[in-house]
Amino acid sequence: MSIRTVLLHAAPDSGFSDRLAFAIGLARQTGGQLKAVYTLYPAGVPRVGRALSIYVNELVREAKEKEAALKAQFETAVAEAGVVGVWQTIEGEVTAALRDEVTFADVTVVSETRYGTVDDELAATLPEHLALACNGPVIVVPTAKPVPARIGRVLVAWKPSREAGHAVRFALPMLALADEVEVLTVEENASDVAASGARLAAYLATHGVKARHHHVTDGQAGAVIAQEAQKLGADLLVMGLYSRSRLAEMILGGVTASLLVDPPVPLFVAH
């Protein structure tokens, strides 16, 4: 399998330029096309009550006004990069619209967006909501951090689980293109995790992936993963997206939540 369609969340938040640059680099490296989806209805705002309706209508009006400049930025960037780009506008809520589009894309690029402008606040919960709801992988690009021009070094945060297995299988095309891949396991309370990590490295080798295994016996998993990503100089961090049920609502596990809030590098996740 190869990456042929990169789906990009297009919105006027502060993370757009960074995730656009990352998505273009990914499309160029994989030979895929880039599809940007711009939605007019804000995320997380219910259609209830007259006051909310007035507020939503104002947000939709502003989204329409901001689209032209954003689309021009997109078209200029893809033309300069020599990448095939498609822009689509949807009159729907962003999480639902992207969830529907994910089925027909190989990977979706969104941002970790810190609270700032209204657009930032509307986009802030998208990574976790989309990744938990969709059936494909999501890359969360940090805002205001260096954007890699290509995926050269990849860190795989591994433990033997369904979620981690899904993430690795989705990431295989990118792992095969990388120059260096490290499989990281952290001891914590799982005694079999080291052996599983070594087996994963051997499995990846059968796909032509240059992988090595590194096991850490001490430390909290979230902190160890972030430190190892920086030490490796990783361009991408691959991991499973873990959640647990609380009153029938899916919420993120501790390690996942901490890395999504402040990803050290672009974060490739699957649930």
Side-chain angles (χ1 to χ4, degrees), residues 74-227:
F74 171 81
E75 291 176 341
T76 299
V78 296
E80 291 177 349
V83 171
V84 176
V86 178
W87 181 277
Q88 181 179 4
T89 304
I90 297 178
E91 293 197 17
E93 192 270 335
V94 59
T95 305
L98 286 176
R99 184 184 61 224
D100 292 342
E101 293 294 326
V102 164
T103 303
F104 307 104
D106 299 306
V107 66
T108 302
V109 179
V110 300
S111 290
E112 166 272 325
T113 306
R114 298 177 182 273
Y115 290 108
T117 67
V118 171
D119 292 309
D120 291 341
E121 294 183 17
L122 291 172
T125 61
L126 177 62
E128 60 194 76
H129 290 169
L130 179 64
L132 288 173
C134 76
N135 60 0
V138 173
I139 297 179
V140 183
V141 179
T143 297
K145 291 184 180 179
V147 178
R150 65 181 297 274
I151 306 301
R153 297 187 181 94
V154 180
L155 179 66
V156 178
W158 175 256
K159 65 179 180 180
S161 68
R162 177 181 64 86
E163 293 86 349
H166 284 171
V168 168
R169 283 185 170 81
F170 279 130
L172 270 175
M174 299 170 66
L175 298 179
L177 291 172
D179 304 318
E180 186 179 350
V181 176
E182 178 180 305
V183 175
L184 173 68
T185 51
V186 183
E187 187 80 20
E188 289 197 316
N189 298 319
S191 59
D192 62 339
V193 68
S196 180
R199 290 188 66 186
L200 177 62
Y203 165 74
L204 291 175
T206 67
H207 286 269
V209 177
K210 307 175 188 71
R212 68 175 184 272
H213 174 226
H214 177 54
H215 182 64
V216 176
T217 57
D218 297 311
Q220 190 274 331
V224 170
I225 292 168
Q227 291 165 7

Side-chain angles (χ1 to χ4, degrees), residues 5-73:
T5 302
V6 177
L7 185 65
L8 173 67
H9 169 224
D13 59 272
S14 60
F16 178 69
S17 294
D18 287 340
R19 68 177 175 272
L20 173 60
F22 179 89
I24 286 176
L26 179 59
R28 186 166 45 197
Q29 184 176 1
T30 60
Q33 71 165 350
L34 180 58
K35 180 179 181 179
V37 171
Y38 186 84
T39 58
L40 299 179
Y41 192 88
V45 181
R47 299 174 184 264
V48 178
R50 184 172 183 274
L52 272 177
S53 295
I54 294 172
Y55 173 62
V56 168
N57 289 339
E58 178 63 17
L59 290 176
V60 170
R61 184 190 63 78
E62 290 180 2
K64 290 179 179 178
E65 290 178 351
K66 294 173 181 177
E67 181 183 8
L70 217 63
K71 185 178 180 181
Q73 180 184 353

